[in-house]
Amino acid sequence: MIGEKETLSVHRYSFIEKLLFKPVRFNSTKLAQELRGKTILITGASSGIGEQVAYLLQDYPVHLILVARRKENLLRIQEKIEKNKATVTVFTADLRVDDELGGLIDLIQSLPGGLDIMVSNAGLSIHRSIYESLDRYHDFERTMAINYFAPVKMLLSFIPLLEKNNGQVINVSTINSLLIPFPGWAAYQASKTAFDNWLRSVAIELQRNGVSATSIYLPLVKTDMIRPTAAYDRMPAMCPKHVAIIICKSMYTKRKLYRPWWLPFGQLSSVLFRRTIEIGMQKMSGRRDRHAGS
C-alpha cells in the first residue's frame, strides 16, 4: 500500500503536460480508514479510467463491482485484483439496454450491505458535423442513453441505499460541460452536460440526507475513447492513472468538484475560439453568396 502523503507516479508526461496536469498528493491511510468494508460500483471499468480506479483500490479491503460490456477484460482485471485485498464482482452489461441495466440495478439492490460509492464513468463520445448527422438520429439516442439516462436511472434506484450508508456519487465528467459548445460535438456535449446539470441540481438534496456528490471535470485523457480522433494524438492528455488518483482522493476528501487549474483560461479561450469559427464561417458564406450572384 502507498505510504501516507505520497505523490503517486503516473505515465511519463511531456513538458507541457507536466505544466497542465499537476501531481496529486495522496494519503493512503485516510483512504483506507474511509473505505474499510465498503462496496464501490465502477461503470466503464473494463479499460481506461475505470480500470485504473479498480487497480488503485486493489490494496484496500473493499468490494468492487466492475461493470462494462467487455467480459473478457473484466475477468482479466478481476484475476489481477483478487490476488490482493479487494474482492471483485464483475457484471457484463451494456447500460443502454434496459434489461441489462435492470439486471445491474437488481444486483446492487440485493447486496446485504447495500452500496457505498458509485463511480459513474461509463460514457460515449461522438465527434461528427451536424451535416453528417442528418440521417443519424441514433447517435443522439446512444449518447443520451449512456451519458444521461443510464446514470439517472441507476441513481433513482440507488439513492435510498446511499442514504443508508452516508454514501457518495462520483461523476466522471468533462470540461466540455463548462466550455462554450464547439461545432461537431452536439451529441456528446449535450448528453454529458445533461447529467452534469442533473447531478448538480440534486446534490443539495442529497447532501441534506448524508450523500456526497463529486464532479470530476476532465480534459483529454489517454483512453480508447479519444483514439478515433486522429488530431488528439498530438494534443496534451492526462494519464488514466492520474485521473484514478484524483477520483480515489475524492473518496476521503468528499471534495465537491475537481477541475484543472487552467480551466478559467480555457473557458475564455473557448469563447474566442468559437468566435473565430463563426467569423470564418461568415466569410465563407459571403464568398459563396458573391460567387452565386456573379
Side-chain angles (χ1 to χ4, degrees):
M1 188 179 293
I2 303 298
E4 290 188 24
K5 297 183 180 178
E6 287 196 23
T7 301
L8 305 188
S9 61
V10 299
H11 176 84
R12 181 175 295 177
Y13 279 152
S14 67
F15 176 74
I16 295 297
E17 289 171 333
K18 288 179 181 178
L19 293 177
L20 294 176
F21 314 131
K22 298 296 186 180
V24 178
R25 299 291 287 176
F26 187 87
N27 191 316
S28 63
T29 300
K30 288 184 177 180
L31 184 63
Q33 292 170 346
E34 176 65 31
L35 295 187
R36 181 172 298 278
K38 291 192 173 182
T39 297
I40 303 169
L41 169 65
I42 306 172
T43 65
S46 62
S47 64
I49 295 169
E51 179 180 9
Q52 292 304 317
V53 171
Y55 287 148
L56 192 53
L57 295 175
Q58 66 185 344
D59 289 322
Y60 299 88
V62 296
H63 178 200
L64 301 177
I65 301 177
L66 307 183
V67 180
R69 290 180 296 166
R70 294 176 288 184
K71 184 175 183 178
E72 64 280 3
N73 285 24
L74 291 176
L75 293 175
R76 170 180 54 81
I77 296 167
Q78 180 184 34
E79 183 179 4
K80 289 183 179 180
I81 289 176
E82 289 195 327
K83 296 175 182 177
N84 299 287
K85 293 184 179 180
T87 59
V88 179
T89 297
V90 301
F91 190 89
T92 308
D94 183 338
L95 299 180
R96 298 170 296 184
V97 179
D98 284 342
D99 288 345
E100 297 181 26
L101 177 56
L104 173 62
I105 291 172
D106 290 343
L107 170 67
I108 299 299
Q109 291 180 332
S110 71
L111 297 173
L115 181 66
D116 296 282
I117 300 174
M118 172 181 165
V119 180
S120 180
N121 172 65
L124 175 65
S125 174
I126 294 178
H127 183 206
R128 185 171 287 119
S129 165
I130 195 63
Y131 286 100
E132 296 173 353
S133 306
L134 299 181
D135 60 348
R136 296 184 62 90
Y137 177 68
H138 62 279
D139 283 350
F140 302 91
E141 292 180 308
R142 291 189 299 152
T143 49
M144 288 299 288
I146 190 67
N147 296 341
Y148 178 60
F149 289 119
V152 167
K153 188 171 184 178
M154 283 189 284
L155 278 172
L156 291 176
S157 298
F158 299 159
I159 283 173
L161 304 179
L162 294 169
E163 283 184 6
K164 186 176 179 180
N165 293 342
N166 292 322
Q168 182 180 17
V169 182
I170 302 173
N171 178 33
V172 181
S173 190
T174 170
I175 62 169
N176 290 30
S177 297
L178 303 177
L179 300 178
I180 295 293
F182 288 169
W185 294 99
Y188 178 66
Q189 285 201 230
S191 58
K192 292 294 285 188
T193 302
F195 183 65
D196 177 65
N197 283 342
W198 185 91
L199 183 60
R200 287 192 291 142
S201 177
V202 304
I204 296 175
E205 297 177 78
L206 295 178
Q207 185 175 14
R208 186 177 62 208
N209 291 303
V211 179
S212 303
T214 300
S215 297
I216 310 287
Y217 295 102
L218 299 175
L220 282 180
V221 182
K222 294 181 174 73
T223 66
D224 294 342
M225 187 180 291
I226 72 170
R227 287 180 181 173
T229 306
Y232 287 163
D233 293 341
R234 301 182 298 276
M235 296 180 67
M238 290 187 78
C239 165
K241 185 176 179 180
H242 193 163
V243 178
I245 295 167
I246 293 167
I247 291 170
C248 291
K249 182 172 182 177
S250 77
M251 293 178 184
Y252 65 81
T253 65
K254 308 300 182 184
R255 184 175 176 178
K256 293 181 180 179
L257 63 86
Y258 164 85
R259 55 190 177 187
W261 65 266
W262 44 263
L263 182 60
F265 303 100
Q267 290 171 317
L268 175 60
S269 298
S270 72
V271 174
L272 298 176
F273 180 66
R274 182 183 173 98
R275 185 57 184 154
T276 300
I277 293 174
E278 290 173 345
I279 292 171
M281 289 184 172
Q282 289 170 359
K283 289 181 178 179
M284 291 176 61
S285 178
R287 284 198 294 268
R288 285 197 299 267
D289 291 342
R290 287 194 297 273
H291 287 310
S294 61

